[in-house]
């Protein structure tokens, strides 16, 4: 259990911790000289069952409240200290408010310096404490009179804290690792050491970690837990990590950074949050209000964007968007505190809802619904609610990362909700089962309507179909969805076109006969240099207009492609040339090749070779710079990989062979 002290300056917090543990929390020379705590101090109390209670001694001076917030983040138990001679003071109230804003649910109150106060004065201060804590999380907390000087009540206080440690028990460690850095230093013969409270998960010696938001990689060389060497640190522990890495220096890590599981690294400078403004504020918060955001051990400038209908009045709670001066490492449900721009007073605080909110259309009903879903504490219930709001699809990988969920917990959510997962690269787009059924039905209906309006076309373009669908999936996920539906036999993927499996195109008998005479002229040994429209017209004694019309129709059917004006190639030949281009690039240094290299492979002359490559340039299959080209691997499937049912079908009956690398930009 980690206990954080709170209270006004010179009310005896450090002396109380020393009386409990024997450790002096004032470790800096300036603190010793001035007799006050300036930075965080740490002390540890061994208890039964080989457990240790950790104490964070925070400063009480108004100038150092930001340090108090850093110390309070991640603690399990609040020990509010009130001196019997002074009673409730300004920083007492501010610290009490911070305890509330950070969601610290348990604590007790130590009434110190009772050795120098009369019984009447003690009674007066007890009444003050009752009034001050009314309506707060410490309203029902026990108040124990103590004296660090005489030892009065110290034993009873220690027993209460040990009992609280037993009741709290161990935190769950199945989340991914996060530690908020509050100190960085070097030790001779050891190297760089960071200390902080483990907010989630666990860490072991030799684990790979990342410093966020900088992204510097490190390895845990050794670690201490509650001031003792250990093999493992876990949520709720005070840890010191000895970090080793190529870029790890004392200057590369700062107070406010997070040491995290590398999977969690995704800093953000825009966060949707739920903010409660303290009743003690004299003015409402208006649009774009500047403030100081305190989260864990970091402090950063922020502007508050209102998402409701008007200003936030004192005592009210509302959704806001926090636009930060620089990115921070955070997780959904993390608590935060807002102070005024001059850092003179605490104004309010709350919890983070969404780490990836849009900068536009922030106040639509869809966004309100999404924020309400994200605000649900239980991850499974939250993700189910997210999928029930527009756009009805969400990336489970991002959701799990932003909540620091472990891989087993993420799998449990997917299994329990019976999610349909469309995995494309690092993304895992999830759709609820009922929405997937509706999506499949809608896709079939869209294709049927398109075929009815365009019976002479092979199908609808993949991207055009994607834009008609709901939910509107990312391009890569949409391709995976099409593959899944195609595997069930309902649809067929013809390169960049999609059609129903039952759809077939038939020419008129006259056009059929004409195509049967034209197609062979485009294939065979001459397939890489087929005759042009005028040449075919002469060879078949037909008009150029009729030949051009028929070849344009073949292009719409996916049987042929117009590579250059009036110069058509069979679709199978186009795919063969795509394969050749990929092979030429694969055997070229750095994947860069020239038109001459391609020309030599197809043996069709420089002019035609360049026309073919320019055709590929237009479709994004090749990327040109000066006179050199390289292949775009994400577009190699644009014209499909065709397999013919017979040698004499002239390219009419074809199907896309299932491919694991079927991708789209």
């Amino acid at each position: 259990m980690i206990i954080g002290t709170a209270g006004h300056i010179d009310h005896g917090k450090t002396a109380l911790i020393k009386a409990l543990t024997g450790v002096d929390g004032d470790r800096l020379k300036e603190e010793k000289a001035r007799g006050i705590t300036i930075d965080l101090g740490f002390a540890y109390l061994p208890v039964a069952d080989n457990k240790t209670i950790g104490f964070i001694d925070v400063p009480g001076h108004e100038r150092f409240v930001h340090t108090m917030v850093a110390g309070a983040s991640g603690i399990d138990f609040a020990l509010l200290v009130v001196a019997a001679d002074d009673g409730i003071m300004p920083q007492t109230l501010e610290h009490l408010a911070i305890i509330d804003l950070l969601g610290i649910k348990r604590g007790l109150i130590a009434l110190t310096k009772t050795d120098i106060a009369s019984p009447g004065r003690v009674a007066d201060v007890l009444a003050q404490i009752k009034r001050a804590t009314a309506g707060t999380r410490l309203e029902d907390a026990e108040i124990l009179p103590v004296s660090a000087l005489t030892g009065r009540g110290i034993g009873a206080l220690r027993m209460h804290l040990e009992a609280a440690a037993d009741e709290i028990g161990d935190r769950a460690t199945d989340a991914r690792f996060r530690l908020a850095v509050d100190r960085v230093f070097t030790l001779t013969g050891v190297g760089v050491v960071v200390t902080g409270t483990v907010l989630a998960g666990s860490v072991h010696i030799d684990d790979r970690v990342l410093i966020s938001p900088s992204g510097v990689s490190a390895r845990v060389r050794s670690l201490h837990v509650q001031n003792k060497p250990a093999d493992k640190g876990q949520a709720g522990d005070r840890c010191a990590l000895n970090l080793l890495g190529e870029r790890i220096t004392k200057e590369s890590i700062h107070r406010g950074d997070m040491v995290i599981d590398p999977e969690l690294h995704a800093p953000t400078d825009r966060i949707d949050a739920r903010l409660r403004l303290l009743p003690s504020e004299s003015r409402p918060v208006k649009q774009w209000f500047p403030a100081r955001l305190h989260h864990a051990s970091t402090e950063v400038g922020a502007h508050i964007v209102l998402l409701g209908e008007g200003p936030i009045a004192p005592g009210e709670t509302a959704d806001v968007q926090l636009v930060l001066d620089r990115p921070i490492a955070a997780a959904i449900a993390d608590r935060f505190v807002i102070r005024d721009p001059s850092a003179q007073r605490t104004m309010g605080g709350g919890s983070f809802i969404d780490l990836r909110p849009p900068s536009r259309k922030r106040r639509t009903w869809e966004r309100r619904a999404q924020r309400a879903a994200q605000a649900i504490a239980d991850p499974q219930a939250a993700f189910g609610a997210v999928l029930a709001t527009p756009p009805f699809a969400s990336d489970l990988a991002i959701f799990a990362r932003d909540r620091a969920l472990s891989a087993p917990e993420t799998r449990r959510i997917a299994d329990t909700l019976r999610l349909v997962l469309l995995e494309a690269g690092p993304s895992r787009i999830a759709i609820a089962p009922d929405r997937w059924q509706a999506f499949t039905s809608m896709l079939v209906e869209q294709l049927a309507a398109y075929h009815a309006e365009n019976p002479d076309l092979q199908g609808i373009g993949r991207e055009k179909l994607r834009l008609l669908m709901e939910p509107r999936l990312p391009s890569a996920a949409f391709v995976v969805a099409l593959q899944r539906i195609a595997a069930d036999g309902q649809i067929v993927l013809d390169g960049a076109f999609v059609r129903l499996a039952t759809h077939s195109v038939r020419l008129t008998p006259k056009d059929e006969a004409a195509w049967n005479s034209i197609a062979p002229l485009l294939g065979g040994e001459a397939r890489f240099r087929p005759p042009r429209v005028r040449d075919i017209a002469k060879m078949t004694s037909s008009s150029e207009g009729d030949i051009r019309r028929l070849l344009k129709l073949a292009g719409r059917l996916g049987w042929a492609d117009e590579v250059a004006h009036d110069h058509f190639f069979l679709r199978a030949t186009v795919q063969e040339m795509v394969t050749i281009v990929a092979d030429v690039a694969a055997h070229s240094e750095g994947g860069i090749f020239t038109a001459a290299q391609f020309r030599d492979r197809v043996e069709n002359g420089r002019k035609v070779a360049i026309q073919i490559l320019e055709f590929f340039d237009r479709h994004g299959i090749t990327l040109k710079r000066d006179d050199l080209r390289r292949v775009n691997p994400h577009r190699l499937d644009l014209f499909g990989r065709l397999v013919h049912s017979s040698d004499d079908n002239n390219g009419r009956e074809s199907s896309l062979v299932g491919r694991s690398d079927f991708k789209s930009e």
Side-chain angles (χ1 to χ4, degrees), residues 644-659:
H644 303 292
S645 58
S646 67
D647 290 335
D648 62 352
N649 68 357
N650 297 325
R652 287 173 295 164
E653 297 179 8
S654 58
S655 62
L656 183 70
V657 176
R659 297 173 55 184

Side-chain angles (χ1 to χ4, degrees), residues 152-165:
R152 176 195 174 192
I154 298 299
L157 176 58
R158 187 182 291 112
M159 290 177 59
H160 274 79
L161 296 179
E162 290 181 16

